[in-house]
Amino acid sequence: MTIALIAHDAKKELMVQFCIAYCGILSRYHLCATGTTGKVVGEATGLPIQKYFSGSQGGGEQIAAKIACNEVDVLLFFRDPNLRNPDQNDVTLLRLCDVHNVPMATNIATAEALIMALERGDLDWREIGNPAF
């Protein structure tokens, strides 16, 4: 299972603190991230993280491509809600998660809920196929 990490500049420290707090759970999964987010989280936690380009250089698009190819299972995207004009690439990431049924968290409260669901095994549905609703 692959977890992608992205954080806007104003949320990078929050992502670091989150990953420190849940390092034990995150260490059981393959992690990927945009460049700067991956760098700061990796340095703070020691977790191995596959790093793509920084967000401004196309890292978000690289992760979006992985989502579109069903190669990302969970997205933790700590967005800055105070940005006046959301980047179109951010909107694309959110849309792709909806299209491909990828659970995503855009804030710490939802990220904690997803991490606890992972811990319980509630998000292993991809391995057994989509559940019937």
Side-chain angles (χ1 to χ4, degrees):
M1 182 174 284
T2 298
I3 300 173
L5 308 173
I6 302 173
H8 284 155
D9 289 343
K11 298 294 181 172
K12 286 198 189 331
E13 182 58 30
L14 183 62
M15 178 66 82
V16 166
Q17 294 304 316
F18 176 84
C19 291
I20 289 170
Y22 293 103
C23 191
I25 296 170
L26 292 170
S27 68
R28 296 183 225 145
Y29 300 98
H30 176 258
L31 302 177
C32 66
T34 50
T36 309
T37 299
K39 180 179 183 275
V40 296
V41 169
E43 288 173 353
T45 63
L47 291 168
I49 301 173
Q50 179 180 3
K51 292 176 237 11
Y52 295 107
F53 294 133
S54 68
S56 63
Q57 295 178 332
E61 288 89 338
Q62 289 177 299
I63 290 176
K66 295 289 187 185
I67 292 168
C69 293
N70 292 316
E71 296 175 15
V72 169
D73 301 292
V74 174
L75 174 63
L76 304 181
F77 180 13
F78 288 5
R79 299 172 52 228
D80 181 358
N82 295 319
L83 291 177
R84 293 221 180 263
N85 297 314
D87 188 291
Q88 184 57 42
N89 297 324
D90 295 350
V91 175
T92 299
L93 272 167
L94 302 177
R95 181 185 160 283
L96 284 169
C97 284
D98 288 341
V99 168
H100 294 279
N101 291 316
V102 173
M104 77 178 142
T106 59
N107 60 61
I108 194 159
T110 309
E112 287 180 333
L114 283 178
I115 286 295
M116 298 317 299
L118 279 170
E119 177 72 0
R120 289 189 309 267
D122 294 347
L123 293 181
D124 291 340
W125 61 270
R126 281 183 178 237
E127 294 174 14
I128 58 173
N130 288 333
F133 291 103

